[in-house]
Amino acid sequence: MYKVMAVNCGSSSLKYKLYEMPEEKVLCSGNVERIGLAQGIFGIKYGEEKVSLELPIPDHKVGAKLVLDALTKYGIVKSLDEIKCVGHRVVQGGKYFSSSAEFDQHNADLIESMTPLDPLHAPAHITGWKAFCEALPGVPSIAVFDTAFHQTMEPEDYLFPIPYEMSEKYDCRRYGAHGTSHNYLADTAIKHYFGGKAEGTRILSCHIGSGSSLCAIKDGKCVATSMGLTPLGGVMMGTRSGDLDPSVMDYLCNCTGKSVDEMYDIFNKKSGLLGVSGVSSDTRDVEAAAKEGNERALLSAKLFARRVADYIGQYYVRLGGCDLMIFSAGIGENSDYFRELILKDVEEALGLKIDYKKNIGLRGKEEVLSLEGSKVKVIVLPTDEEVMIARDCLRRIENGRI
Ligand code: AMP
């Protein structure tokens, strides 16, 4: 039995889950929020207990120390020596990483060198890694990359049609994201619906949350995914625009007098459901407003569904058909309203037969939505990125590589 910690550091947050492996038992989980602001929040859940504290948390180092102190304070571990590996979620692995890797100084330098590809997360990953290294000296760390699962794409799927020399020189290509989630969904679905045999399976995975991406998975491997150079690309999201005609940037900069950086920020933080509806980035608010007759809220929901439906069509062709379609993440798992809008957009073309009554009220649990005779099986499957990190930690321990 090994205890391993899955860590996800954002610019001002640190999410964590402590597992007992190989049982995959969650011993505790929590979130450190508002790091660097005047007042931070430290949260932990263990067994039936839940603790939330407000206190200044100036940096990730203090955040990591709070987490580790809580483990002994609340009796979750007797000693920190019990933790055998820390697995860090890293968003961008670029061309360097097609699987998880030791998070050592060499790889930290590589991750840091890719900051231009992920300015939002890369610095936080490095800070978080350093914080845990200092707090748990001698305990090995691994980096689990969001992009790694997508490294099996062919050049036709990952290249942008720009001058080839620029793609090469600047590593400017589609990397995708949410790979750990898509990998979990594919592995789980193959186990549950195809007797564990990946060969011959064609899966369309829809990870639809505040960030959203679709992934076409053949024989258990990614062949195409919707996010691009950064997580701004692909389908419409909570606050992100997703794919745009590239000339929109130039046109709007000229119209508004805003800089490229300012427009980029608008495409990332003020677009998507929020930008179109003018109401919220949260599907619950958008749905409520649409049902009260707010026309822009309704339009934003339909636009969102249409963008997802367009990618489903594209990936249906890319896969040469589809055996299984998965809805997952915050919206995919919880919003019957958005699932129905999307399914209605694709059901005729794909020959789906859906039990729309079963779709209603379904929240965060695995369920088959399609009926007998549907040409594609459609399921809801809750994702679990943290358990994938814990499994990678275990693999590394058992392989003796750390
Ligand atoms: P995620 O980024 O995967 O955590 O997804 C978060 C998003 O999922 C929220 O912004 C909401 O849009 C959506 N969401 C979460 N819970 C629900 C719910 N109970 N009903 C509808 N939408 C939900």
Side-chain angles (χ1 to χ4, degrees):
M1 276 199 301
Y2 306 99
K3 292 188 177 73
V4 302
M5 178 81 97
V7 175
N8 181 357
C9 285
S11 50
S12 65
S13 68
L14 189 171
K15 287 190 197 139
Y16 62 95
K17 243 183 200 183
L18 183 70
Y19 284 89
E20 189 148 85
M21 300 299 282
E23 294 79 1
E24 301 188 348
K25 183 176 169 198
V26 178
L27 301 175
C28 73
S29 63
N31 201 354
V32 186
E33 295 168 87
R34 301 169 65 85
I35 295 174
L37 301 182
Q39 201 70 315
I41 305 171
F42 168 77
I44 186 162
K45 240 170 80 179
Y46 58 103
E48 299 296 302
E49 304 295 325
K50 228 176 167 179
V51 178
S52 180
L53 303 170
E54 279 201 27
L55 72 170
I57 308 172
D59 54 34
H60 285 76
K61 198 169 155 183
V62 175
K65 187 157 181 341
L66 279 170
V67 173
L68 295 169
D69 286 350
L71 298 184
T72 44
K73 180 175 165 193
Y74 298 118
I76 298 158
V77 297
K78 283 201 188 79
S79 152
L80 294 180
D81 293 345
E82 292 170 41
I83 300 173
K84 297 298 176 213
C85 182
V86 180
H88 292 264
R89 174 199 180 214
V90 176
V91 172
Q92 182 56 266
K95 63 180 177 184
Y96 300 109
F97 299 101
S98 55
S99 61
S100 304
E102 260 66 273
F103 207 151
D104 52 16
Q105 191 58 55
H106 171 74
N107 286 338
D109 291 344
L110 279 180
I111 292 166
E112 202 161 21
S113 75
M114 290 183 285
T115 303
L117 290 174
D118 187 20
L120 231 56
H121 300 102
H125 297 325
I126 299 292
T127 314
W129 166 69
K130 281 189 184 146
F132 275 90
C133 286
E134 280 179 35
L136 291 174
V139 176
S141 312
I142 62 165
V144 179
F145 300 94
D146 262 20
T147 49
F149 184 62
H150 304 309
Q151 284 290 303
T152 46
M153 284 190 288
E154 295 177 352
E156 301 92 298
D157 292 294
Y158 70 68
L159 276 179
F160 298 128
I162 56 174
Y164 187 78
E165 303 74 30
M166 288 180 121
S167 301
E168 286 271 283
K169 186 169 179 193
Y170 301 112
D171 296 324
C172 184
R173 47 158 285 183
R174 182 187 302 279
Y175 292 103
H178 294 145
T180 311
S181 172
H182 290 299
N183 193 1
Y184 171 84
L185 294 168
D187 282 1
T188 308
I190 287 166
K191 216 180 284 164
H192 293 188
Y193 301 95
F194 301 100
K197 254 190 73 191
E199 289 73 30
T201 56
R202 299 166 300 179
I203 296 174
L204 219 162
S205 164
C206 308
H207 174 114
I208 314 178
S210 48
S212 301
S213 69
L214 271 67
C215 189
I217 303 162
K218 207 170 194 166
D219 304 324
K221 294 194 174 71
C222 166
V223 293
T225 195
S226 61
M227 278 178 168
L229 176 71
T230 72
L232 178 59
V235 295
M236 172 174 162
M237 307 176 215
T239 63
R240 286 173 243 166
S241 61
D243 292 346
L244 295 172
D245 172 349
S247 45
V248 172
M249 172 65 95
D250 182 60
Y251 178 71
L252 285 183
C253 284
N254 284 330
C255 288
T256 61
K258 290 189 190 302
S259 67
V260 167
D261 282 352
E262 285 169 319
M263 265 334 287
Y264 187 64
D265 203 55
I266 288 173
F267 295 154
N268 260 303
K269 298 187 186 146
K270 296 194 175 129
S271 300
L273 282 174
L274 174 67
V276 180
S277 71
V279 172
S280 169
S281 62
D282 192 304
T283 48
R284 288 164 283 201
D285 305 328
V286 171
E287 178 185 345
K291 286 180 173 167
E292 278 164 17
N294 182 321
E295 284 181 16
R296 263 177 55 192
L298 179 62
L299 175 65
S300 73
K302 285 182 169 173
L303 184 56
F304 187 99
R306 186 65 50 86
R307 290 303 185 102
V308 174
D310 287 349
Y311 262 100
I312 290 175
Q314 187 180 326
Y315 288 170
Y316 186 86
V317 173
R318 177 66 186 84
L319 288 167
C322 176
D323 307 301
L324 183 79
M325 191 157 100
I326 305 170
F327 283 101
S328 194
I331 301 169
E333 291 169 30
N334 297 300
S335 177
D336 46 23
Y337 179 76
F338 274 77
R339 278 195 305 260
E340 180 166 336
L341 282 175
I342 295 164
L343 286 166
K344 292 271 187 209
D345 259 2
V346 297
E347 65 183 347
E348 191 182 342
L350 268 54
L352 306 185
K353 290 203 168 67
I354 302 296
D355 187 341
Y356 283 107
K357 277 202 196 113
K358 219 173 183 184
N359 180 50
I360 294 169
L362 191 62
R363 291 222 192 296
K365 82 178 192 15
E366 185 171 346
E367 189 65 80
V368 177
L369 297 183
S370 51
L371 293 159
E372 227 21 64
S374 178
K375 287 203 177 133
V376 181
K377 193 186 269 285
V378 179
I379 65 166
V380 174
L381 182 57
T383 194
D384 192 342
E385 288 155 293
E386 292 84 7
V387 83
M388 292 298 271
I389 297 176
R391 285 176 193 171
D392 275 352
C393 285
L394 178 68
R395 245 189 304 276
R396 292 278 157 159
I397 295 168
E398 289 185 338
N399 287 347
R401 292 176 68 181
I402 51 177

